[in-house]
Amino acid sequence: MERRNYNPMNDYLFKFVFGREERKRITLSFLNAVLGREGVDELQDITFIDRDIEPQFAEDKLSRLDLYGVASDGSRINIEVQLVNLQHMDKRTLYYWARMYQSIRRGDSYQKLDRAITINLLNFAMLPQQKPHTVYGLYDIQSGHRLTDDLEIHFIEIPKFQVKSIKELKRLERWMAYFSNKLSEEEMEELAMSETAIREAIQAEHVFMQDEIERWQYEQREKAVRDYISGLDASWQEGMERGMEQATVKNLQNLMRQMDLSPQQAMEALRIPPTERKKYQLLLDR
């Protein structure tokens, strides 16, 4: 399967590439690019923790704590991949961030609280900003003073990323190009040559796709997302139809009341097709 025919943001594939001990180098490269860490400030290690947070709400069924770990500087880091917009993500992000931040035990000092960083990798546009990478912290509204760096939330909106010359891409942009899956085979090869960790990530993808069990999980996840989107479309269409019906019934009632028309006369005035008049008669009789 050619790379452009599969989804690098599928959470099973993502966790296989970025959540394995033997591929920490890939994860650290991505994290340092997102956090802007360079030189002596770069994260040198991360300890993965298998701690999927159970869904608290119905809409969280397609939302998981995809990758969670403690970095070499003590920061707790959560990378969450979102393929579809489940709405209210701002509040849900804060909710799960708060649970991650609660890292001390009873009797411990608040000083022992570790920095908590959330990275939301989105396959849709959500924020008003045009740039694909946005960082939120806790600041004074008037002066801009940052109260603490314990709170750091990143949104990476892949659809906002515009592909340009590979040679011009900065560190994080190279990773966004990798996730965007918009590159030609030649561009993808050039991207792999420009970043060792990305080349290793692509190699890990090939290993994943050749494993029948892993690929089955990938396909089941893709199917779940497609079914969810289809369900949303059907609900939206149904809602539109119900909304139009309610508006038509209201117009019929207004004509009947204001112009003293019979239901049939009102339907005639609104040019409702004869095949639909029985339905509207039943709605008027309710």
Side-chain angles (χ1 to χ4, degrees), residues 115-238:
R115 186 183 192 191
I117 301 171
T118 293
I119 299 172
N120 291 313
L121 188 60
L122 310 182
N123 199 36
F124 54 89
M126 185 188 88
L127 301 171
Q129 296 91 328
Q130 294 302 310
K131 58 183 181 178
H133 179 216
T134 307
V135 187
Y136 288 92
L138 197 58
Y139 297 87
D140 172 54
I141 294 175
Q142 293 182 331
S143 68
H145 172 259
R146 189 173 187 177
L147 179 64
T148 176
D149 63 0
D150 278 8
L151 168 63
E152 189 171 320
I153 297 175
H154 296 253
F155 289 92
I156 302 174
E157 301 166 279
I158 295 301
K160 291 182 179 180
F161 172 72
Q162 299 296 319
V163 178
K164 53 186 177 182
S165 170
I166 301 300
K167 294 179 181 179
E168 298 178 9
L169 297 179
K170 298 177 182 178
R171 263 198 318 173
L172 180 54
E173 290 175 328
R174 288 197 288 268
W175 279 109
M176 287 191 282
Y178 163 84
F179 286 114
S180 73
N181 215 15
K182 297 176 182 177
L183 304 183
S184 66
E185 289 297 320
E186 294 76 15
E187 289 172 324
M188 202 66 212
E189 185 176 346
E190 185 180 355
L191 180 66
M193 293 300 293
S194 70
E195 185 74 44
T196 303
I198 290 179
R199 183 165 65 252
E200 293 174 357
I202 295 172
Q203 292 170 350
E205 291 176 351
H206 293 324
V207 173
F208 178 93
M209 285 300 175
Q210 290 171 3
D211 187 301
E212 291 185 6
I213 295 176
E214 298 287 7
R215 185 158 174 181
W216 181 84
Q217 291 178 324
Y218 165 92
E219 291 171 349
Q220 291 303 305
R221 185 61 166 173
E222 290 295 293
K223 180 180 182 298
V225 172
R226 287 195 301 270
D227 290 347
Y228 179 81
I229 294 174
S230 297
L232 284 181
D233 289 342
S235 297
W236 181 84
Q237 183 64 34
E238 183 180 351

Side-chain angles (χ1 to χ4, degrees), residues 275-286:
T275 55
E276 296 187 14
R277 293 184 182 182
K278 184 176 180 180
K279 175 183 69 175
Y280 282 107
Q281 183 64 62
L282 291 173
L283 290 172
L284 288 168
D285 292 341
R286 285 182 181 176

Side-chain angles (χ1 to χ4, degrees), residues 28 31-32 35 37 41-49 67-78 97 100-101 103 112-119 146 149-152 154:
L28 289 168
L31 289 175
N32 284 318
L35 303 177
R37 302 287 186 89
D41 292 329
E42 284 193 346
L43 299 177
Q44 300 298 322
D45 195 13
I46 184 168
T47 301
F48 296 123
I49 299 175
L67 195 154
Y68 174 70
V70 179
S72 51
D73 67 347
S75 299
R76 294 173 179 266
I77 301 177
N78 155 220
W97 173 89
M100 181 171 60
Y101 187 56
S103 56
K112 291 187 177 182
L113 283 166
D114 296 313
R115 186 183 192 191
I117 301 171
T118 293
I119 299 172
R146 189 173 187 177
D149 63 0
D150 278 8
L151 168 63
E152 189 171 320
H154 296 253

